[in-house]
Amino acid sequence: PQPQPQPASYWYATYFNTRDLTGGRVYERREAQINHNWGWSSPAGPVFPDNFSARWTKAANAVGGTYRITVRTDDGARVYVDGVLVLDTWKVQAVTTYEVDVVLVPGWHTWTVEYFEAEGVAEISFGVRKL
């Protein structure tokens, strides 16, 4: 049997000083939500203000049904549910909002959100709601 994901009330965030989530992690922290508008600034002291990437992970329980995922990003973003890519906007772009609907069975699911910032304004927000 598969081990159950550990529930968390926070996202586990990992930041990299590359656009592609490679190299050593330069900063890690817990975040209550993914809702950031860093503007021209850095997410944290050791993270570059441009050309960085981040990954957030969280386990959450779902009652089952259709869920709408909303991502607002400048630049690229990807969303995975249980390791399956459900949203892919991995490109340099101005602030853009994307939505996708996914059907989830009842139970625990592992969510992963990935992001990269090229240059200029850095922004990402993520939301999910049951339809």
Side-chain angles (χ1 to χ4, degrees):
Q2 292 278 2
Q4 291 293 331
Q6 294 299 308
S9 60
Y10 59 85
W11 291 89
Y12 182 74
T14 306
Y15 292 85
F16 304 83
N17 279 332
T18 61
R19 287 189 190 186
D20 59 0
L21 303 158
T22 60
R25 298 172 291 204
V26 296
Y27 192 70
E28 297 174 315
R29 67 181 172 200
R30 295 176 179 178
E31 298 180 0
Q33 58 187 347
I34 303 171
N35 186 13
H36 302 291
N37 184 344
W38 296 291
W40 298 87
S41 300
S42 164
V47 182
F48 297 156
D50 289 321
N51 298 303
F52 72 87
S53 54
R55 178 182 292 122
W56 294 268
T57 57
K58 180 179 184 174
N61 200 2
V63 296
T66 302
Y67 289 78
R68 176 154 299 150
I69 296 167
T70 303
V71 173
R72 179 179 165 89
T73 186
D74 175 339
D75 288 291
R78 294 187 287 230
V79 177
Y80 299 84
V81 180
D82 298 326
V84 176
L85 181 64
V86 297
L87 181 79
D88 187 1
T89 69
W90 202 256
K91 60 186 176 183
V92 175
Q93 61 190 320
V95 177
T96 308
T97 300
Y98 297 91
E99 292 186 333
V100 64
D101 295 342
V102 296
V103 176
L104 300 177
V105 298
W108 288 99
H109 297 278
T110 301
W111 294 82
T112 303
V113 178
E114 296 177 340
Y115 168 76
F116 87 88
E117 160 58 7
E119 297 175 341
V121 174
E123 178 178 335
I124 184 168
S125 62
F126 168 86
V128 60
R129 65 181 171 90
K130 188 171 185 329
L131 297 180

